[in-house]
Structures are given as structure tokens and as C-alpha cells.
């Protein structure tokens, strides 16, 4: 039986687990109930299991019967602070929490892959690390798991790592999409506080007005992007928050703004940090004001290794047919902490269209929306793809 057929046979169990996770979402780095459910789903399998210390992660290692290299499969498990309005029977039973990014599906798929690969342990030449990760949504759980040793869990670094992500809209149903090179954006936060000296609005020369200086910084940041960065290696700067002052005739002491900064290459990501800080410091200095420029890197660019992305495309085409794979024409503008893995191990991040059959993907609610819905039919697809990638990459042809 092929992995795809075996995965189809597991459909009911995968759906049951996904529904249980969906009804009881947990957010952040500590997901005790989720961890319990996954451990129960993995029980009886020949896995070496290690639990996280600073987060409720699960690292499971499957050692093949024959020696060989190691590959890593990652599934994230956390939900979002969103109040679900999907109208589905499995709607979250926890107020203000929802699996709106589909991580419940990833978790179920990865347990499915653990079952599929455990059943083929005798044919496996090498090891598989299953990385069940909390805290993808803004908490950098992948980084903490790396600090706690996930990449060395099998005794040696993986030769490749793969992650799947379901998308509830825009993509054609049950189609996998990926590309070599940048796949997801880097996302940073830039917090700027301009400090001057307060005073009366009628005698501005006796004060140091931070408002025009902060305004100049906001427009200069846009000029910096268009004059300083290649249009084909885009950078997006959006100042989404700007606050200063209390009354029209009072010059405030302080103005503060915050920006989100997205970039799509390691080079631009490194350069924008330095340039943005230099720019606001230079403008403040020119007017004799002080500035605090707090540049916070959240997630790096998720870069797919060219050969691994090719390998994923070839595997999908062979297992599911030509029409089930699309080469992404450009990166996705979201960001991912799988980037911390892809910075260290040749990786491929793959998106999977998971819009349910009764809605038009063009009109469906996107991930993170309270109305977002995901199709259970992709569960065996994802589980089988994870398993195929591991089996093929370890050098054993699938049956
Ligand atoms: Zn998300
Ligand atoms: Zn996500």
C-alpha cells in the first residue's frame, strides 16, 4: 500500500484529533492540553520523545532500522486570540481563542506522518525528527526549541527540514505551492521616541518641538525605501501608530511612532535595520533633539533551499499529479518562525490550499479571520506528503 493510501485509511483518526484540538485551542508557548492530546496520539509508536522545558513542545525521534542521515518535519500547534465565527460544528469552546491559522491541521498531519513512518521503520535508512512546536504566532517557539536542542535530537544535524502550512483562501483547493529562495517575509517592529522640550505653542523657538521632527522621520523612511532599496527586492515600511501631544497650544516633550518593516532577502533585512536607525538618529541630531530608536527583529526571512523546493515540487507531482503543485510566483508577505530552522538547515516551506469545497477560495476568509474555515480533506494529503518527503529524502523509494 502506498503512503497516500495508508494516509487515506487514517482519515477518521486525523479528523478526530484535529476536531479535538480545534475545540480546545491554546495560545502561546504553553499548550498543556494540546501536548497531552498529541502524546496520546503518539503513544505506542517506537519514538524517542522529549518534552520542552521553557515551552510545551514535543520532540520525537524515529530511528530507522538502517543507518542513514536525519530529516526534520515541523508542525506548529498554537492558536490565536480570536473569537471564532466560522459557524462550524467544531467551533472553539474557549472564548476568545481560535485555531484561525490552521495549526490544528498541521499538528494532526504530523502525528499522521509519525504513524505512517513508524509503520515503515524497517525500510527507513536514517532518522526522522518530528518537531511539534508551540508559540509560532509571535512567540518564536521554533527559536526556543532550537536552543533546547531540537536540531540535534537525533545526534546529528538534519540534512533537510520541511514545514507545511494550510491556507484557508486564495489558493486552489488541495494544491501545494512553494518556491526556491525567499518564501515568507521578515517582519520587524521599529519603535521611535523623539524627545525634545515642551513649551507654549506661541513661542516654539523657546521649546524643542518633537512633532515636526517625528513627521519628517516618517516621510524620510518612505524616501529611504524608494531611493535606497532595489525595487525588485522589496521593502515595506508602514507607520501604523503615531502619538504626541495633548492640546493645540502646548508643545509636547515627546512624540512616538511605531512601524512594521517587512523585507524579503537576508541582505535587505540586514541593511534596513542599520539604515532605519541611522536615518532617525541623523534627523534628530540635525534638529538638536534626542531620539530612542528601538529596532526589534521578530522573524527573519524564510528562505527555501533551491534544491529542497525542487524536491518538494517533484514529490508532489509524482505522488498527487502535475495539477497539484504550483510554483509560487512570489513570496508570501506573512512571516514564519520556521525561518530560524531554515537559517540553519536546508529547508522547504510549503503552503497547501485548504479552502472547503462549498466556498469560493477567491471569497473565503483568510487565515487569522474569525470566519476562516479549513477543509478536513487535506489532512491525509499533508500527512502523506510529510511522510513521502522523509522517506524519499532518506534515500528509500516509496512503494
Ligand atoms: Zn498565523
Ligand atoms: Zn500559521
Amino acid at each position: 500500500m502506498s503512503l497516500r493510501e495508508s494516509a487515506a485509511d487514517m482519515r477518521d483518526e486525523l479528523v478526530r484529533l484535529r476536531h479535538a484540538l480545534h475545540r480546545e485551542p491554546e495560545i502561546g508557548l504553553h499548550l498543556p492540553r494540546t501536548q497531552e492530546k498529541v502524546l496520546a496520539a503518539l503513544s505506542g509508536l517506537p519514538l524517542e520523545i522529549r518534552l520542552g522545558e521553557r515551552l510545551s513542545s514535543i520532540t520525537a525521534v524515529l530511528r530507522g532500522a538502517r543507518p542513514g542521515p536525519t530529516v526534520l518535519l515541523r508542525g506548529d500547534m498554537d492558536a490565536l486570540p480570536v473569537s471564532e465565527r466560522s459557524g462550524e460544528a467544531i467551533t472553539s469552546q474557549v472564548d476568545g481563542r481560535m485555531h484561525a491559522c490552521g495549526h490544528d491541521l498541521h499538528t494532526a498531519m504530523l502525528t499522521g506522518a509519525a504513524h505512517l513512518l513508524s509503520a515503515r521503520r524497517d525500510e527507513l535508512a536514517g532518522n526522522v525528527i518530528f518537531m511539534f512546536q508551540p508559540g509560532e504566532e509571535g512567540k518564536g517557539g521554533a527559536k526556543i526549541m532550537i536552543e533546547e536542542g531540537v536540531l540535534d535530537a537525533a545526534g546529528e544535524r538534519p540534512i533537510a527540514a520541511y514545514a507545511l502550512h494550510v491556507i484557508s483562501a486564495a489558493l486552489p483547493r488541495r494544491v501545494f505551492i512553494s518556491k526556491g529562495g525567499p518564501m515568507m517575509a521578515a517582519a520587524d517592529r521599529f519603535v521611535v521616541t523623539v524627545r525634545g522640550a515642551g513649551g507654549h505653542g506661541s513661542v516654539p523657538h523657546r521649546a524643542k518641538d518633537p512633532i515636526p521632527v517625528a513627521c519628517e522621520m516618517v516621510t524620510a523612511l518612505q524616501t529611504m525605501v524608494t531611493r535606497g532599496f532595489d525595487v525588485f527586492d522589496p521593502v515595506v515600511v508602514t507607520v501604523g501608530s503615531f502619538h504626541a501631544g495633548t492640546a493645540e497650544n502646548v508643545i509636547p516633550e515627546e512624540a512616538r511612532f511605531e512601524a512594521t518593516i517587512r523585507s524579503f532577502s537576508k541582505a535587505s533585512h540586514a541593511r534596513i535595520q542599520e539604515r532605519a536607525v541611522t536615518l532617525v538618529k541623523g534627523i534628530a541630531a540635525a534638529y538638536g533633539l534626542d531620539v530612542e530608536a528601538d529596532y526589534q527583529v521578530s522573524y527573519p526571512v524564510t528562505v527555501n533551499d533551491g534544491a529542497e523546493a525542487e524536491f518538494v515540487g517533484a514529490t508532489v507531482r509524482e505522488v498527487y499529479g502535475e495539477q497539484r503543485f504550483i510554483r509560487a510566483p512570489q513570496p508570501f508577505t506573512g512571516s514564519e518562525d520556521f525561518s530560524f530552522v531554515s537559517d540553519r538547515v536546508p529547508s522547504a516551506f510549503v503552503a497547501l490550499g485548504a479552502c472547503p469545497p462549498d466556498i469560493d477560495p477567491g471569497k473565503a476568509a483568510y487565515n487569522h479571520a474569525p470566519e476562516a474555515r479549513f477543509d478536513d480533506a487535506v489532512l491525509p494529503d499533508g500527512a502523506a506528503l510529510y511522510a513521502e518527503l522523509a522517506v524519499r529524502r532518506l534515500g528509500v523509494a516509496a512503494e
Side-chain angles (χ1 to χ4, degrees):
M1 210 187 331
S2 71
L3 283 165
R4 191 179 168 184
E5 289 161 342
S6 306
D9 283 352
M10 291 172 45
R11 185 192 150 111
D12 290 352
E13 284 147 65
L14 298 179
V15 169
R16 246 196 314 277
L17 175 58
R18 188 244 156 170
H19 288 186
L21 294 165
H22 195 89
R23 284 196 183 93
E24 198 179 2
E26 295 177 297
I27 58 179
L29 295 171
H30 300 285
L31 322 171
R33 299 282 298 136
T34 304
Q35 190 186 46
E36 247 171 58
K37 292 184 184 86
V38 173
L39 288 173
L42 298 178
S43 79
L45 297 181
L47 302 168
E48 295 165 18
I49 287 183
R50 236 183 49 211
L51 306 184
E53 285 162 26
R54 288 153 58 203
L55 73 180
S56 50
S57 59
I58 301 167
T59 301
V61 177
L62 175 68
R63 295 193 187 277
R66 292 187 282 143
T70 297
V71 297
L72 182 147
L73 305 174
R74 182 273 216 158
D76 43 8
M77 307 192 289
D78 56 320
L80 284 157
V82 171
S83 293
E84 180 159 3
R85 291 199 304 268
S86 70
E88 295 217 275
I90 55 163
T91 290
S92 168
Q93 290 171 1
V94 187
D95 246 7
R97 291 182 182 184
M98 174 187 178
H99 265 296
C101 204
H103 298 184
D104 49 337
L105 287 93
H106 308 160
T107 309
M109 288 167 177
L110 196 58
T111 63
H115 278 268
L116 294 170
L117 291 167
S118 293
R120 281 165 173 75
R121 189 185 186 190
D122 290 346
E123 306 152 33
L124 272 189
N127 314 308
V128 183
I129 301 172
F130 301 92
M131 176 180 178
F132 290 94
Q133 183 211 309
E136 192 288 320
E137 300 287 357
K139 303 285 186 219
K143 190 160 180 262
I144 302 175
M145 285 191 75
I146 291 171
E147 287 162 11
E148 293 193 350
V150 67
L151 298 181
D152 302 303
E156 57 173 25
R157 278 286 155 113
I159 55 165
Y162 306 103
L164 259 178
H165 205 302
V166 292
I167 309 282
S168 60
L171 303 185
R173 264 182 271 283
R174 297 178 72 182
V175 164
F176 296 89
I177 180 163
S178 192
K179 68 185 278 297
M183 179 69 188
M184 305 284 283
D188 303 330
R189 181 165 175 247
F190 190 35
V191 183
V192 178
T193 310
V194 183
R195 294 205 175 87
H200 200 293
S202 64
V203 282
H205 62 287
R206 302 180 67 92
K208 283 184 179 176
D209 190 350
I211 292 180
V213 177
C215 290
E216 201 163 314
M217 290 172 182
V218 171
T219 48
L221 282 167
Q222 299 305 325
T223 309
M224 172 195 71
V225 169
T226 66
R227 303 300 88 183
F229 289 85
D230 186 341
V231 68
F232 293 111
D233 181 9
V235 170
V236 177
V237 177
T238 293
V239 175
S241 156
F242 189 111
H243 294 279
T246 52
E248 91 281 6
N249 61 353
V250 178
I251 293 173
E253 280 186 349
E254 204 174 277
R256 186 173 188 274
F257 67 88
E258 288 187 32
T260 181
I261 300 185
R262 311 247 159 177
S263 53
F264 296 89
S265 72
K266 283 178 193 294
S268 286
H269 189 220
R271 208 153 67 84
I272 187 98
Q273 298 172 39
E274 185 256 309
R275 293 290 295 270
V277 171
T278 306
L279 184 79
V280 299
K281 284 191 171 163
I283 292 173
Y287 290 99
L289 273 70
D290 291 329
V291 65
E292 191 184 312
D294 180 14
Y295 197 103
Q296 304 165 10
V297 174
S298 23
Y299 292 169
V301 186
T302 305
V303 180
N304 280 349
D305 179 84
E308 295 302 339
E310 280 300 315
F311 165 70
V312 167
T315 303
V316 172
R317 288 192 189 101
E318 219 176 291
V319 175
Y320 293 104
E322 282 294 328
Q323 71 290 352
R324 295 281 297 274
F325 185 79
I326 297 175
R327 190 186 303 273
Q330 68 240 344
F332 288 61
T333 50
S335 64
E336 246 297 333
D337 74 349
F338 184 66
S339 49
F340 292 108
V341 176
S342 73
D343 267 357
R344 291 162 176 81
V345 174
S347 296
F349 184 87
V350 190
L352 169 57
C355 183
D358 57 322
I359 345 175
D360 173 356
K363 295 183 183 136
Y366 205 83
N367 290 36
H368 289 206
E371 296 84 8
R373 289 173 55 204
F374 300 86
D375 187 2
D376 284 331
V378 302
L379 290 168
D381 295 346
L385 184 70
Y386 271 133
E388 284 283 358
L389 292 172
V391 166
R392 288 167 186 244
R393 195 64 180 81
L394 292 177
V396 183
E399 290 163 70

